[in-house]
Amino acid sequence: MNSFLRPAPASSSASVSISSSSHSQRPALLAALMLALSALALGGCATVAPHERATLNDYTMRADRDKLHDAMTEHILFSREASSGGRGVGGGGCGCN
Amino acid sequence: MRCAPTNPEFRSRLRTGALALLATALLAVSPAVTFAAESAEKAGLVGKPLPALSGFKFEGELPALSGKVVLVDFWASWCAPCKASFPALGELQQKFASRGLVIVGVSVDENVKAYAKFLEKQKPPFAVVRDLDQRLAATLEPAAMPTSYLVDRRGVIRFVHEGFHGKSSIDSYTKEIEQLLSESAP
């Protein structure tokens, strides 16, 4: 069995520490955890100066560079959403266009 | 039926959760706030002298700029509006060169081949140099591509254009260049 799917033992140290903390401290801990995670995620954000955007402007960065991939993705989207006519036709997917 | 929770513990949790969400939202918008502040600083360049271009490393020859009205235009081969602006800048150069306008196109290209290919195709009638270590761009911090700085005969930045918007940009350039050319030399 994959270690990721294996359930944690009931007597693990994490579960002991959480269950031992007082009930009223949990929201504060959760809030602190959320803030810490947000701060960590924002550490990856950077503002790229306009004159340094050569790579971002490259053709390979375009989402629509592969026509076959686009067609397949759109086919899946329209099938899932039941939107007859897809992106090229107006309407709300009622199939009456 | 109770509409509002009265349990104090639940209320406390709700308050903490709301505070956490607010703090997260504030953190998320902070880069946008920083960028807006930077743009405001850039607007402050008008009225300040253009840094001496001789202090920067360029590929290509700088023309004589002393006592001239100078248009410093930041461009790149990967920038579509820059490409669109080149014919208009060429026409401005030809129209006003005899009265003392000098256009200097400053490329921020790092890809030398793309830079050379672009110039070969465009054949601009004005001076073009490449900002070798992008130090001039880092100094002036153009807020968009292209960005151009219109400098008067005394070397002071008088107008800044961000982006190229076709006829409206050409009209603004023409009006501003004529105004600066009509001013007396220092």
Side-chain angles (χ1 to χ4, degrees):
Chain A
M1 191 178 173
N2 192 324
S3 62
F4 291 112
L5 303 175
R6 202 176 294 147
S11 59
S12 73
S13 60
S15 65
V16 168
S17 66
I18 289 174
S19 61
S20 65
S21 66
S22 76
H23 204 61
S24 62
Q25 279 177 333
R26 258 192 219 171
L29 275 173
L30 273 173
L33 190 69
M34 271 179 76
L35 277 175
L37 283 174
S38 311
L40 204 68
L42 283 168
C45 296
T47 306
V48 181
H51 66 272
E52 291 173 333
R53 291 181 189 163
T55 307
L56 289 174
N57 204 58
D58 194 83
Y59 178 73
T60 52
M61 297 297 273
R62 286 180 61 159
D64 63 345
R65 68 188 181 279
D66 185 346
K67 284 183 180 168
L68 180 61
H69 178 264
D70 289 349
M72 286 166 71
T73 313
E74 293 202 348
H75 178 70
I76 292 165
L77 175 75
F78 303 147
S79 305
R80 193 178 60 219
E81 301 289 333
S83 52
S84 173
R87 220 164 262 170
V89 179
C94 58
C96 51
N97 294 307
Chain B
M1 193 177 111
R2 287 188 304 180
C3 290
T6 51
N7 184 344
E9 194 185 330
F10 184 76
R11 274 187 177 177
S12 156
R13 274 193 205 178
L14 211 63
R15 204 178 302 129
T16 320
L19 277 173
L21 273 175
L22 186 70
T24 312
L26 280 174
L27 275 172
V29 300
S30 61
V33 173
T34 314
F35 189 74
E38 281 171 5
S39 291
E41 279 174 20
K42 276 164 208 156
L45 278 173
V46 174
K48 290 186 178 162
L50 181 78
L53 297 186
S54 53
F56 296 87
K57 280 186 197 167
F58 296 113
E59 178 186 318
E61 286 288 311
L62 274 175
L65 304 176
S66 178
K68 304 273 186 184
V69 171
V70 183
L71 183 73
V72 178
D73 178 61
F74 281 93
W75 66 275
S77 62
W78 44 263
C79 155
C82 305
K83 190 178 170 185
S85 75
F86 262 52
L89 293 180
E91 281 175 23
L92 288 172
Q93 171 71 28
Q94 280 163 347
K95 188 175 175 185
F96 294 111
S98 58
R99 290 172 60 193
L101 173 74
V102 177
I103 296 181
V104 183
V106 179
S107 166
V108 293
D109 272 298
E110 289 176 299
N111 184 337
V112 186
K113 274 186 188 173
Y115 165 76
K117 200 175 164 187
F118 183 93
L119 287 182
E120 198 182 315
K121 212 170 179 180
Q122 292 290 326
K123 294 190 173 54
F126 50 87
V128 170
V129 293
R130 193 165 71 90
D131 193 3
L132 279 178
D133 45 12
Q134 296 194 338
R135 218 158 50 81
L136 182 62
T139 306
L140 292 175
E141 295 184 320
M145 291 298 290
T147 290
S148 55
Y149 301 86
L150 195 50
V151 182
D152 68 12
R153 293 183 194 273
R154 291 175 297 129
V156 176
I157 298 172
R158 297 282 294 276
F159 302 98
V160 178
H161 283 258
E162 289 171 1
F164 180 72
H165 312 286
K167 193 180 177 304
S168 70
S169 291
I170 296 168
D171 290 347
S172 305
Y173 277 133
T174 308
K175 194 177 149 199
E176 291 158 7
I177 289 168
E178 277 185 339
Q179 181 195 325
L180 296 189
L181 286 173
S182 66
E183 291 176 2
S184 56

